[in-house]
Every structure is written in C-alpha cells, then in structure tokens.
Amino acid sequence: MAEQQNIKRRIKSVRNTKQITKAMQMVAASKLRRAQLAAAGPKAYLEAATRILGGLAQTPEALTNPLFEERKVGKALSILVTGDRSLAGAYNSNIFRVFSGHVESHGVPHSVICIGRYGALHVARLSDITEEAAYPAEVGNSDIELAQPVLAEAVESFMSGKADVVHVIYTEFISAIKQEVRVLQLLPIPAREVALGSATIEPSTEEVLVLATRRLLEARVFQAILDGRASFYAAQMIAMKSATDNASDLIDDLTLAANNARQASITQELAEISAGSEAIIE
C-alpha cells in the first residue's frame, strides 16, 4: 500500500511538471514567431550596407580611417550574446564552448562585453577574462537602444587601443530546428568586403564612409542580438517539448508500475484469504 501511494504522489508531481513545461513550450513558440520575424527584417538592409561599405573600403579615405586599421593583435575584445535564462537546452553552453575556443586560439589578454545574464555569470567565473560591461538580453522592443551603447563601448575600446580586434559571438538563427554559433569580426572592418566597383559618391566619399561605417557596425550588432533572441526561443521551445514528452513517458511508466503494484497487492490479499480459509476448514 505504501508503495502505491508513493507512485501516485510521483505521478501527480510529474503531471504538474508536465503542465509547466507544456505552458513554457507554448510561450516560447509564441515569442519565437515574433522574434523570427524581427530577425529576418534587417537582413536585406545589412546586405545592402555591406555592399556599399565594400565599395568604400577600396577608397583612399578608408586607408586612413582607424576603423579599417589592421593591427598586430595584442589584446582582444568579444561581444558575447547569450540568454537571460536557462531551460533552453544547450543554447548557452554551445556559446560558451565556442567562446572558450575563440579565447584559446588568440592567446592574448581578453575582455568581454556581455549581452545576457548567463554570459555575465559565466565570465564572472573566469579569472583570466575581464568583463567590460554587461547588459540584459531582454529589452522589450528597443533592441537598437541596446545595440548602440554596446557598439559605442566596442568602438571606444578599439580606438583607444584597449583592444586590437573586436568580435561578436552569437547564435545565428537559421530555422526553428537549426541554430549555429558564429564568430563575426566587427573591428577592424575586414577589407575583403565585396566591392561595388567604380561609382560616384555624393556628397563626398569621406562623409559617406563615416556614416556607412557606423550604420553597418550598428546593423551587425543589432542583427546579432535579434538572431540570438530568436535562437534562444527556438532552443527553449525544443527543450520544453522534449521535457513534456519525457514527462508523458514517465507518467506512462509510473502508471504501469502502479497497476503492477496494485495487481500484486490484490494477488497477495487473495492468497492470504485462501490460506485463511484452508486453515479454518482444517
């Protein structure tokens, strides 16, 4: 009897957990739809800005622009885009794995700007990494207001010589079932962009170069934030679906165990009644 009661309590507990994971799955799916549309929106703008800057990168003005200056890497800065919460499968751990490999491959003093609470918590445990700043990943609909200060700090670090190279490490959203961690060089701006060829630049090449450079960098950070958020919700939706399915399987197993225990109890009671009847007859 005690065994049956324990199994029933476990079934009730697992059912409650299943309700929670099912609700979280539905919430993540709803947020994913909005995040997916948001992530897809700026991509055409980013491609156009990259092509324009590609043409400008071949001009004499770009050769004197410090944001295009290739240096010997003695110090590095990374913008690490993670999630504010867990319960998203291997989303955060995949980013940390790529980040660790990135740091090891450079072998120089490394500093980080964290976007996402879990990234900040991870960096705080690393003694050889300096955290420059930390921002929450969830900022409502004002993502550009997050991208601008992050970019401003990265540019200031590069211009002042605190960092010789700046990368963005984020999870690119490919589809609801596929996301990949990317390492994108932000600064110095790679000179290998696709050139437009000869073109007339108005009002002047220098003015357009400054504006296009700022807009491209801003768009890349903005896109990384949007991709990271969509990838987080996709990973969370899949993780919660897997947890819900596992809870259903566990309930089935526990129900079978409860039925077996009940059957064994009935069999034992019948055996005891039969033995008692035989004792009375004798």
Side-chain angles (χ1 to χ4, degrees), residues 137-277:
E138 297 290 342
V139 289
N141 296 321
S142 303
D143 299 294
I144 194 64
E145 295 180 7
L146 173 58
Q148 288 173 340
V150 169
L151 177 62
E153 290 198 42
V155 171
E156 192 279 331
S157 293
F158 183 78
M159 296 286 287
S160 64
K162 294 179 181 178
D164 298 313
V165 65
V166 179
H167 290 87
V168 180
I169 302 175
Y170 70 104
T171 305
E172 181 183 7
F173 179 81
I174 300 173
S175 70
I177 59 174
K178 184 179 182 182
Q179 305 89 40
E180 294 184 2
V181 181
R182 303 291 191 194
V183 179
L184 173 68
Q185 181 175 316
L186 191 67
L187 293 170
I189 298 173
R192 56 181 180 276
E193 307 286 358
V194 179
L196 286 174
S198 59
T200 302
I201 303 297
E202 295 182 359
S204 71
T205 301
E206 185 175 359
E207 291 180 43
V208 174
L209 178 67
V210 172
L211 179 61
T213 300
R214 173 64 63 166
R215 289 291 180 265
L216 175 66
L217 295 175
E218 193 174 274
R220 282 178 171 170
V221 176
F222 182 52
Q223 186 68 53
I225 294 171
L226 295 177
D227 269 336
R229 179 171 300 140
S231 298
F232 174 82
Y233 288 133
Q236 187 178 61
M237 181 185 68
I238 294 173
M240 291 301 99
K241 182 181 184 305
S242 178
T244 301
D245 293 342
N246 290 339
S248 297
D249 293 340
L250 184 55
I251 290 172
D252 291 341
D253 292 341
L254 290 173
T255 301
L256 179 60
N259 291 338
N260 290 338
R262 179 172 175 271
Q263 185 64 44
S265 177
I266 293 173
T267 302
Q268 183 179 355
E269 290 176 0
L270 290 176
E272 291 174 353
I273 293 172
S274 177
S277 299

Side-chain angles (χ1 to χ4, degrees), residues 18-237:
K18 178 182 176 181
Q19 290 178 346
I20 294 173
T21 57
K22 182 65 175 179
M24 292 182 67
Q25 176 190 341
M26 295 175 67
V27 170
S30 175
K31 290 184 177 181
L32 172 61
R33 284 190 287 270
R34 295 194 297 270
Q36 186 174 359
L37 291 174
K43 287 189 175 180
Y45 172 85
L46 182 58
E47 292 175 0
T50 301
R51 288 196 301 270
I52 292 174
L53 193 61
L56 295 172
Q58 314 302 321
T59 63
E61 289 79 4
L63 298 178
T64 59
N65 190 306
L67 296 181
F68 288 83
E69 179 188 354
E70 295 281 351
R71 312 172 189 165
K72 181 180 180 180
V73 178
K75 291 169 287 186
L77 170 68
S78 292
I79 300 172
L80 189 64
V81 183
T82 63
D84 281 338
R85 300 183 301 277
S86 58
L87 300 177
Y91 173 80
N92 290 311
S93 59
N94 285 339
I95 298 173
F96 298 151
R97 176 175 50 79
V98 172
F99 172 66
S100 297
H102 174 70
V103 172
E104 290 178 4
S105 66
H106 278 75
V108 297
H110 215 100
S111 56
V112 181
I113 298 175
C114 296
I115 300 177
R117 188 173 68 90
Y118 260 71
L121 292 174
H122 177 75
V123 171
R125 293 192 292 266
L126 303 176
S127 59
D128 56 339
I129 303 295
T130 303
E131 184 181 86
E132 296 291 338
Y135 299 87
E138 297 290 342
V139 289
N141 296 321
S142 303
D143 299 294
I144 194 64
E145 295 180 7
L146 173 58
Q148 288 173 340
V150 169
L151 177 62
E153 290 198 42
V155 171
E156 192 279 331
S157 293
F158 183 78
M159 296 286 287
S160 64
K162 294 179 181 178
D164 298 313
V165 65
V166 179
H167 290 87
V168 180
I169 302 175
Y170 70 104
T171 305
E172 181 183 7
F173 179 81
I174 300 173
S175 70
I177 59 174
K178 184 179 182 182
Q179 305 89 40
E180 294 184 2
V181 181
R182 303 291 191 194
V183 179
L184 173 68
Q185 181 175 316
L186 191 67
L187 293 170
I189 298 173
R192 56 181 180 276
E193 307 286 358
V194 179
L196 286 174
S198 59
T200 302
I201 303 297
E202 295 182 359
S204 71
T205 301
E206 185 175 359
E207 291 180 43
V208 174
L209 178 67
V210 172
L211 179 61
T213 300
R214 173 64 63 166
R215 289 291 180 265
L216 175 66
L217 295 175
E218 193 174 274
R220 282 178 171 170
V221 176
F222 182 52
Q223 186 68 53
I225 294 171
L226 295 177
D227 269 336
R229 179 171 300 140
S231 298
F232 174 82
Y233 288 133
Q236 187 178 61
M237 181 185 68

